[in-house]
Amino acid sequence: MVNITDYTIEELEEYILSIGEKKFHAKQIFKWIHRVGVDSFDEMTDISKSLREKLKENAYIMRLEVLQCQVSKKDGTHKFLIKLSDNNAVESVVMRYHHGNTICVSSQVGCKMGCKFCASTKNGWRRHLLASEIEGQIIAAEKYMNEKISNIVYMGIGEPLDNYDNVVKSVKLINCPEGLGIGARHISISTCGLVDNIRRLADEKLQATLSISLHAVTDEKRKEIMPIANKYSIKELLDACTYYIMVTGRRISFEFALIAGVNDDEETARALAKLLRGMIAHVNLIPVNEIVNGQFKKSKPQDVDRFMGILNSSGVVATVRRELGSDIDAACGQLRQKYLDEQENNK
Ligand code: SAH
């Protein structure tokens, strides 16, 4: 049995030909699966009964199940716990902004990167998500909410550029006009900085926004909180960013999680301004979510303001990320963590 949901139109065309049918059915089937979101072949009313029967014998439509959805009373943020077909679970979060709904999708079950402040990495890595499982989070959330989603950020569980092929394929599935039809300009891919794959991504010429999780301005400090810094230096990372901007013409976002006493001082702010000056960049400041054993504390609001002020007055555009869903544990990895703990307790 093949997971037909994971096929691009081109792959679906090949598949349809391989079962002895006419190529044009591929687009029809793709629309039913990705745009209409049907759960069964029988709902594909413009396809002959005999082809539907043949499809049923050879293929299945993979859907994800919403296990739980918490809705913030404060701002309407929806936080989903989503079950994959092998019983693993990932999280997706839908945030309501005035310009539309943004979904934060997961790209892996767990994460290998080991960032010290991040909940997603605590139980290690289990597997990559398929392209259809990444896109499937959007379809599941749209159905559940009965609302459209217009923007996608790859900032849920996992490191997108560690699951490179499936992530790039998922962007293509999401872009496809016969499917969700969401343009790459409405998609942001976030990475802790896999330099080689940032360069590869630039060469795909996808027009997606790249977000870099920087969080420190010296290699020494970055190594303390992000193991990936042992592999690539900040200089190598920024060189790859410059390449990305050169090839795509797209601005880069830098994420900077402000941790009290670790990276929120004036000197760091000045050094960050110096590092990014002249680059087409935007800095997102995020007071760190306190999750891991209380080891990392949020910066004080006045320190956040001071940090932002230094960047802005040095000509680097910086904003503080508005905190959404603070009443429902919306920070990545926390809900899955609870689910894992519960499974453990039920054994
Ligand atoms: N692996 C990718 C994408 C997932 S994390 C990456 O590293 O970019 C999405 C963003 O949330 C990253 O910028 C990450 O560093 C940040 N993040 C993780 N844990 C956090 C926490 N406790 N507080 C604030 N930001 C956090």
Side-chain angles (χ1 to χ4, degrees):
M1 293 290 266
V2 299
N3 169 10
I4 202 169
T5 321
D6 209 56
Y7 286 161
T8 61
I9 287 189
E10 294 74 30
E11 288 171 341
L12 202 48
E13 281 173 352
E14 257 174 57
Y15 173 70
I16 292 294
L17 288 172
S18 79
I19 58 169
E21 297 283 340
K22 296 236 164 58
K23 197 168 133 178
F24 75 92
H25 292 305
K27 270 193 183 157
Q28 293 174 308
I29 297 169
F30 192 93
K31 274 186 197 166
W32 283 114
I33 295 176
H34 298 269
R35 188 191 287 168
V36 185
V38 298
D39 295 326
S40 71
F41 293 112
D42 284 331
E43 291 166 76
M44 302 183 176
T45 47
D46 58 357
I47 287 174
S48 70
K49 181 120 201 299
S50 64
L51 175 51
R52 291 191 326 235
E53 290 305 321
K54 205 178 212 178
L55 287 169
K56 274 194 240 172
E57 277 163 29
N58 298 293
Y60 64 97
I61 301 172
M62 189 224 55
R63 293 293 178 215
L64 308 181
E65 186 192 326
V66 173
L67 272 180
Q68 247 187 65
C69 176
Q70 300 177 347
V71 183
S72 164
K73 292 197 176 65
K74 289 184 183 166
D75 51 46
T77 298
H78 282 55
K79 171 134 191 169
F80 293 96
L81 183 67
I82 291 195
K83 193 170 109 181
L84 310 172
S85 26
D86 64 355
N87 280 337
N88 274 306
V90 291
E91 294 176 24
S92 325
V93 182
V94 177
M95 294 153 288
R96 295 172 188 275
Y97 291 106
H98 58 273
H99 56 268
N101 290 328
T102 294
I103 189 167
C104 172
V105 292
S106 294
S107 57
Q108 297 179 316
V109 181
C111 187
K112 301 172 195 164
M113 297 298 127
C115 297
K116 294 271 172 24
F117 45 82
C118 182
S120 301
T121 206
K122 273 179 70 185
N123 285 283
W125 177 85
R126 288 202 185 161
R127 70 169 175 88
H128 292 312
L129 293 194
L130 297 169
S132 51
E133 290 174 319
I134 298 173
E135 186 214 29
Q137 295 168 58
I138 307 169
I139 296 174
E142 281 194 342
K143 269 196 198 166
Y144 188 92
M145 295 172 73
N146 198 19
E147 281 180 42
K148 284 279 163 208
I149 285 167
S150 49
N151 291 282
I152 297 142
V153 296
Y154 286 67
M155 290 192 183
I157 297 168
E159 166 51 47
L161 296 191
D162 184 47
N163 182 14
Y164 186 87
D165 292 338
N166 292 340
V167 162
V168 168
K169 184 174 182 184
S170 72
V171 171
K172 291 180 180 162
L173 286 180
I174 294 164
N175 281 168
C176 189
E178 281 81 7
L180 293 168
I182 301 172
R185 285 171 178 268
H186 298 273
I187 299 178
S188 287
I189 298 176
S190 184
T191 177
C192 65
L194 303 189
V195 165
D196 299 339
N197 283 348
I198 290 174
R199 288 176 180 273
R200 257 173 97 190
L201 189 66
D203 293 331
E204 306 272 351
K205 306 218 168 51
L206 281 178
Q207 292 295 307
T209 299
L210 184 64
S211 278
I212 304 289
S213 302
L214 191 58
H215 307 322
V217 291
T218 63
D219 288 325
E220 207 186 345
K221 181 69 86 185
R222 201 161 187 262
K223 282 177 197 171
E224 280 173 25
I225 52 176
M226 301 176 75
I228 192 69
N230 293 302
K231 187 154 184 207
Y232 302 108
S233 68
I234 291 178
K235 168 142 194 349
E236 287 170 310
L237 178 55
L238 293 182
D239 283 349
C241 291
T242 305
Y243 180 75
Y244 191 88
I245 295 170
M246 192 184 79
V247 174
T248 64
R250 305 282 292 153
R251 171 179 93 162
I252 290 192
S253 280
F254 288 91
E255 311 289 310
F256 212 90
L258 289 170
I259 311 171
V262 173
N263 62 0
D264 61 348
D265 54 292
E266 283 185 48
E267 200 187 329
T268 303
R270 288 212 187 81
L272 181 59
K274 201 169 158 200
L275 270 184
L276 301 184
R277 201 173 291 148
M279 202 183 258
I280 322 175
H282 175 267
V283 178
N284 261 321
L285 300 171
I286 318 151
V288 78
N289 276 299
E290 297 169 12
I291 39 146
V292 191
N293 311 327
Q295 194 190 348
F296 295 107
K297 296 272 178 241
K298 241 186 213 10
S299 299
K300 295 196 190 83
Q302 62 266 35
D303 292 338
V304 174
D305 286 347
R306 181 186 59 187
F307 201 96
M308 181 171 74
I310 294 173
L311 290 173
N312 284 331
S313 62
S314 319
V316 174
V317 185
T319 48
V320 177
R321 167 137 352 129
R322 198 156 59 97
E323 207 179 336
L324 292 175
S326 54
D327 53 333
I328 52 164
D329 284 348
C332 54
Q334 292 179 358
L335 193 58
R336 174 168 177 262
Q337 186 69 46
K338 275 189 197 160
Y339 174 72
L340 287 176
D341 291 347
E342 278 162 23
Q343 276 187 330
E344 198 56 39
N345 292 340
N346 292 338
K347 263 184 195 159

